[in-house]
Amino acid sequence: MGKKNIQRVSMQRIADEAGVARSTVSFVLNGKEKEGRISEEVARKVRLTAQNLNYQINEVARGLRTGYSNTIALVVADVSDVFFGAMAYHIQEYAESKGYALIIINTGEKQERLSSVFKTVMNRQIDGILMIPVVNMEEGTLERLNPGIPMVLIDRYFKSLATSRVIINNYEVSRIATQLLIDRGCRNIALISFRESLMHIQDRKRGFTDVLYACRLLDEALICEADYRDYRQTIVDFLSRTVHRIDGLFIATGGLSSIVIRSMVRLGIRLQSDVQIVGFGRIDAATDVSIPCVKQPLEEICRKSLDILLERIKSQKNEIVDCVIPATIVAE
């Protein structure tokens, strides 16, 4: 049996079926009905006719004609991380609802991959980039590598504002988390975090230390900053030395919650009794007690990031948008 002959539906056929000019169909299907001064009623009729005829847009041809591929790249620091995996899901769902395809590129927290990442983005004619920077990235790296493609940073950011970004109120919510521990009677409060040059971690540490300093409770010996590549033993050793004299603990990043809580349990510490804990993001360890944690509004972050990027692509204006979304503290 031979292959079935599938005929491509033309814009002219849609125009004939809808009773409009071919130019009207072209404006509508390319998302330019406002430029063509086409009413919403006519545009809706054209889209419905195209749908009924199973019209498929030739993305390659449209890209060559318009200079846009309707494709966004999401450059993720670690796609295996629960937070970033969920972020990729929400951005893909939202991008598709806006008519954009999403390419997900994983850097694996390796700066040496960034050069090839941007080459891939250029070769695929990507319209814009949503970027989670690699840990401890040097300032100016992205500006040096990016050939002018619209970009928005998510979650992580640099001290200087070189591009648009969508972040949470890291400093303020860390102050609230630390104050919560004080309000619960804690006086010997520890911080466990990554050692990081990017500002999201720096702001969390600063929020923690500012509150304790103001209350004359800051003890620098109770601050543990671990390297990304070798953090487990650092944390185990720190807790072995200090856990029997601390009564409060702020875990400043969700990626460390599992090793911290497991280590404390092995040391015989009763969570939320011997030591009060506040985490950041999802607590990646099963416990029989409720542990307060900072909840990041992930869906709002994803939507806002994509909205800013699409507006940047559409306007072709290099306007910097600094978007800060409030996070809250909830009980896990």
Side-chain angles (χ1 to χ4, degrees), residues 193-249:
S193 180
F194 283 120
R195 182 177 290 107
E196 174 59 81
S197 61
L198 291 172
M199 291 306 297
H200 67 302
I201 295 294
Q202 290 294 316
D203 283 348
R204 294 173 195 177
K205 178 185 177 182
R206 192 163 54 88
F208 171 85
T209 56
D210 282 0
V211 170
L212 292 186
Y213 182 81
C215 297
R216 298 184 179 180
L217 295 174
L218 180 62
D219 184 348
E220 297 281 356
L222 297 183
I223 296 177
C224 174
E225 295 177 283
D227 292 326
Y228 277 89
R229 303 299 179 192
D230 184 26
Y231 63 85
R232 294 181 182 276
Q233 195 59 48
T234 300
I235 291 171
V236 169
D237 292 344
F238 171 79
L239 289 173
S240 298
R241 293 193 311 270
T242 64
V243 77
H244 293 292
R245 72 182 183 92
I246 67 175
D247 54 14
L249 172 63

Side-chain angles (χ1 to χ4, degrees), residues 2 27 35 66 77 104 108 110 135 141 159 162 189 232 237 275 281 293 320 327:
F27 274 119
E35 296 177 26
T66 65
I104 301 172
K110 296 178 180 177
V135 296
T141 299
K159 188 173 182 179
I189 304 173
R232 294 181 182 276
D237 292 344
V275 179
C293 65
I320 303 300

Side-chain angles (χ1 to χ4, degrees), residues 48-68:
L48 181 60
T49 302
Q51 182 180 339
N52 290 338
L53 291 173
N54 197 29
Y55 174 75
Q56 302 294 319
I57 295 176
N58 187 329
E59 297 290 355
V60 174
R62 183 169 70 173
L64 291 172
R65 185 173 65 253
T66 65
Y68 295 99

Side-chain angles (χ1 to χ4, degrees), residues 18-277:
V20 298
R22 185 190 181 285
S23 59
T24 299
V25 174
S26 178
F27 274 119
V28 172
L29 296 185
N30 284 295
K32 297 182 177 180
E33 54 263 39
K34 289 184 179 179
E35 296 177 26
R37 297 183 179 181
I38 297 163
S39 70
E40 181 55 38
E41 182 181 352
V42 171
R44 187 164 47 246
K45 182 179 180 181
V46 169
R47 283 192 290 266
L48 181 60
T49 302
Q51 182 180 339
N52 290 338
L53 291 173
N54 197 29
Y55 174 75
Q56 302 294 319
I57 295 176
N58 187 329
E59 297 290 355
V60 174
R62 183 169 70 173
L64 291 172
R65 185 173 65 253
T66 65
Y68 295 99
S69 65
N70 275 45
T71 305
I72 299 297
L74 172 63
V75 182
V76 184
D78 182 3
V79 77
S80 68
D81 181 88
V82 173
F83 177 75
F84 293 133
M87 179 182 288
Y89 168 79
H90 289 300
I91 289 177
Q92 181 168 358
E93 291 290 304
Y94 192 47
E96 288 181 358
S97 75
K98 293 288 188 178
Y100 280 78
L102 184 73
I103 292 177
I104 301 172
I105 305 174
N106 181 44
T107 62
E109 300 284 19
K110 296 178 180 177
Q111 292 196 54
E112 57 268 26
R113 288 185 179 176
L114 291 175
S115 179
S116 63
V117 164
F118 279 96
K119 286 179 182 177
T120 298
V121 167
M122 286 186 288
N123 290 338
R124 289 178 176 266
Q125 295 184 307
I126 301 297
D127 294 337
I129 306 168
L130 296 173
M131 163 77 77
I132 296 96
V134 173
V135 296
N136 290 309
M137 182 185 293
E138 294 179 7
E139 202 148 345
T141 299
L142 295 182
E143 291 83 353
R144 199 162 54 246
L145 291 172
N146 188 2
I149 300 171
M151 180 169 63
V152 175
L153 301 184
I154 310 177
D155 185 55
R156 302 172 177 179
Y157 55 102
F158 302 96
K159 188 173 182 179
S160 66
L161 187 59
T163 189
S164 294
R165 64 190 186 188
V166 177
I167 59 177
I168 63 166
N169 55 335
N170 288 281
Y171 175 78
E172 291 81 4
V173 79
S174 297
R175 286 181 58 91
I176 295 169
T178 308
Q179 187 62 52
L180 176 60
L181 291 170
I182 296 173
D183 293 344
R184 291 189 172 190
C186 302
R187 293 298 178 267
N188 299 292
I189 304 173
L191 171 74
I192 294 181
S193 180
F194 283 120
R195 182 177 290 107
E196 174 59 81
S197 61
L198 291 172
M199 291 306 297
H200 67 302
I201 295 294
Q202 290 294 316
D203 283 348
R204 294 173 195 177
K205 178 185 177 182
R206 192 163 54 88
F208 171 85
T209 56
D210 282 0
V211 170
L212 292 186
Y213 182 81
C215 297
R216 298 184 179 180
L217 295 174
L218 180 62
D219 184 348
E220 297 281 356
L222 297 183
I223 296 177
C224 174
E225 295 177 283
D227 292 326
Y228 277 89
R229 303 299 179 192
D230 184 26
Y231 63 85
R232 294 181 182 276
Q233 195 59 48
T234 300
I235 291 171
V236 169
D237 292 344
F238 171 79
L239 289 173
S240 298
R241 293 193 311 270
T242 64
V243 77
H244 293 292
R245 72 182 183 92
I246 67 175
D247 54 14
L249 172 63
F250 179 37
I251 308 171
T253 180
L256 295 177
S257 60
S258 178
I259 182 64
V260 170
I261 289 173
R262 289 202 310 270
S263 297
M264 294 180 77
V265 170
R266 281 197 296 268
L267 290 166
I269 300 301
R270 295 173 298 171
L271 305 178
Q272 305 305 83
S273 178
D274 297 331
V275 179
Q276 293 284 327
I277 301 172

Side-chain angles (χ1 to χ4, degrees), residues 280-293:
F280 208 105
R282 175 177 170 176
I283 301 295
D284 290 329
T287 66
D288 56 2
V289 294
S290 177
I291 298 178
C293 65

